[in-house]
Amino acid sequence: MTTHNPSHPPPPTPLSQATTTNKPIVAFTTPPNYASRLSRLLTLKGYDPIWCPTLGVHATPHTLIPYLSPPNLDAYSALAFTSRAAIHSLSAAAAAFDQPLLSPHGEAFIVAALGKDSELINHDVVSKLCENAERIRLLVPPVATPSGLVELLGDGLSRRILCPVPLVVGLTEPPVVPDFLRDLEAKGWVPVRVSAYETRWAGADCARGVVERGRELGAVVFTSSAEVEGLLKSLREFGWRDWDEFVRERCPEVVVAAHGPVTAAGAERLGVKVDVVSSRFDSFEGVVDALGLR
């Protein structure tokens, strides 16, 4: 029988070199709004995905109404989205009005979004914003991070920018949004934060799939640091003190993958060692491809 020092677990076995006759099992913790896309990509790459959501996302379009009610949005020069959920919530809120939110005349109005999220800024969304589509200027940073978005936005010149972001319930708010707002201020913008949706812990039982399948897991994929915290909080409910203890005793060869450096940094901050970080994080294809490179 092979033994190892529990304080120095062996390095993870590459999923691409797995010797099992079954497909490598990959757990992922993403909220429902991203689950089908990530599951499909994992399946296409030959993995057996198991979905263990640790967060729930609940749209609250009513919180946006006071900011969008015409002509209130004309007081802003830009709209910055850091998630798909925010775009969906704003689109739902805009549908409550029988006229576009912006006047057809005036300076260019900037709409900024990350990576594939920008595909949601389609003709329907633009028409809800302004009947003059030429007034809308879509910005998509080459590096799909909030800091990349800030860099692309450039000098704010004391202009106001509306930032629809989540209200985090039952978990500690990750530093991503506060850092984003601080960086905007440093660039001369006047960011106005508004809760567009709620991110809630999925509850004490949300890690059950990971716990029950722990010995079979080839990898766990995280797409946000809040997912990591949600999993750890649930693991404690199952009696595990921390991630290291769980991994050491249940799945010492598991590969931990993070969707981009922001998620990786958040996971490490929470005590979860990350083995794989996607270099392309404008979509989930980057992290799924990275699994096969180990």
Side-chain angles (χ1 to χ4, degrees), residues 35-282:
S36 60
R37 187 153 54 98
L38 182 50
S39 181
R40 179 178 60 83
L41 290 170
L42 288 166
T43 301
L44 289 173
K45 283 292 183 177
Y47 301 126
D48 182 8
I50 61 170
W51 182 39
C52 302
T54 62
L55 303 177
V57 174
H58 308 276
T60 57
H62 63 278
T63 59
L64 290 165
I65 296 296
Y67 299 87
L68 304 182
S69 183
N72 292 351
L73 194 59
D74 280 302
Y76 296 85
S77 298
L79 182 58
F81 295 109
T82 55
S83 69
R84 298 173 72 85
I87 299 173
H88 284 306
S89 191
L90 184 134
S91 182
F97 299 100
D98 57 6
Q99 65 182 95
L101 306 179
L102 291 164
S103 62
H105 308 293
E107 296 182 354
F109 186 87
I110 298 170
V111 178
L114 300 174
K116 292 185 74 66
D117 293 358
S118 63
E119 296 174 2
L120 297 178
I121 312 297
N122 53 27
H123 173 75
D124 181 55
V125 172
V126 170
S127 65
K128 289 176 181 176
L129 287 173
C130 188
E131 67 181 47
N132 176 15
E134 296 297 318
R135 194 183 168 198
I136 304 301
R137 180 187 174 201
L138 179 62
L139 293 185
V140 184
V143 180
T145 61
S147 59
L149 191 152
V150 172
E151 287 302 314
L152 186 60
L153 281 166
D155 194 342
L157 303 173
S158 298
R159 290 173 293 173
R160 301 177 82 197
I161 181 169
L162 188 64
C163 303
V165 297
L167 173 66
V168 181
V169 180
L171 297 169
T172 303
E173 182 180 35
V176 177
V177 168
D179 288 351
F180 173 61
L181 300 175
R182 185 199 64 226
D183 291 346
L184 284 171
E185 289 181 345
K187 280 286 189 177
W189 289 93
V190 180
V192 176
R193 174 177 183 155
V194 56
S195 298
Y197 59 100
E198 292 182 354
T199 297
R200 290 180 173 269
W201 183 42
D205 200 52
C206 66
R208 180 173 295 278
V210 172
V211 171
E212 292 182 346
R213 304 292 294 274
R215 299 189 189 283
E216 307 169 65
L217 289 181
V220 178
V221 175
F222 296 113
T223 63
S224 74
S225 60
E227 294 171 32
V228 180
E229 185 185 354
L231 182 67
L232 296 177
K233 190 172 179 179
S234 179
L235 285 177
R236 288 193 289 272
E237 296 287 339
F238 281 94
W240 300 98
R241 184 175 64 250
D242 55 30
W243 178 254
D244 284 346
E245 181 185 63
F246 175 73
V247 169
R248 185 168 58 246
E249 297 188 22
R250 296 299 297 271
C251 46
E253 296 187 352
V254 73
V255 173
V256 176
H259 176 53
V262 173
T263 300
E268 298 274 2
R269 187 179 64 253
L270 291 166
V272 175
K273 180 181 179 297
V274 175
D275 304 298
V276 170
V277 184
S278 58
S279 57
R280 291 189 303 108
F281 37 91
D282 57 335

